[in-house]
Amino acid sequence: MRIDVIKGHDEQYLKDLLEVSYQTMLDTFGIPNGDRYQVLTQHEPFEMNILDSGLGIERSRDVVVFQITTRSRNVSQKRAYYDLLAKGLQEKIGLDPKNLLVSLSTNGDADWSFGYGKAQFVDGPLH
């Protein structure tokens, strides 16, 4: 999971952002507890141009972009993730849902190596 935000948020806000997004993955994708890979990057305002795309969404400097690489998930799981993430972030850090952009990219078991130059989903021990 890669998360991009504009600089200016305090440490607790960022920690809560990470925690809510992780908990939402546990709740909707059924990932194992402890399966946590998150990279948070803060940018200068001019480095993030997250525009409307014709949907009438006017975002603020609080925009958060999630890019998540994941194994295959069904449409119901994806919808649940988007919904619970928006609700959780609004509740925990006050993020207006219009400032949330999520992109899921799916790949297969052979596309993962968690270390040692091995494909653990294919060759074990995660097989």
Side-chain angles (χ1 to χ4, degrees):
M1 175 184 298
R2 300 190 66 82
I3 306 168
D4 295 281
V5 299
I6 293 175
K7 287 180 182 178
H9 300 288
D10 65 34
E11 183 177 340
Q12 190 59 54
Y13 178 97
L14 298 173
K15 285 180 177 181
D16 289 344
L17 178 66
L18 292 165
E19 186 59 34
V20 168
S21 58
Y22 170 64
Q23 186 61 50
T24 303
M25 287 194 83
L26 289 173
D27 294 343
T28 58
F29 290 169
I31 64 170
N33 193 24
D35 189 10
R36 188 171 184 163
Y37 300 89
Q38 297 172 301
V39 177
L40 175 79
T41 305
Q42 299 182 69
H43 302 272
E44 296 296 335
F46 69 89
E47 294 176 321
M48 287 184 63
N49 292 297
I50 311 303
L51 303 178
D52 175 80
S53 300
L55 297 173
I57 300 171
E58 294 184 30
R59 295 185 176 91
S60 74
R61 290 175 51 103
D62 290 330
V63 66
V64 180
V65 177
F66 284 84
Q67 298 175 60
I68 301 169
T69 304
T70 181
R71 297 168 91 189
S72 184
R73 308 293 173 185
N74 65 45
V75 173
S76 295
Q77 288 175 306
K78 292 175 184 181
R79 285 181 173 154
Y81 182 80
Y82 305 146
D83 182 58
L84 288 176
L85 182 64
K87 288 176 180 173
L89 291 175
Q90 185 172 32
E91 181 180 308
K92 187 72 173 178
I93 63 175
L95 183 71
D96 187 326
K98 73 179 181 184
N99 285 317
L100 176 61
L101 187 138
V102 181
S103 174
L104 296 175
S105 297
T106 303
N107 63 17
D109 290 351
D111 298 315
W112 295 90
S113 174
F114 296 95
Y116 301 106
K118 305 292 182 197
Q120 286 87 352
F121 280 137
V122 176
D123 302 321
L126 299 174
H127 180 35

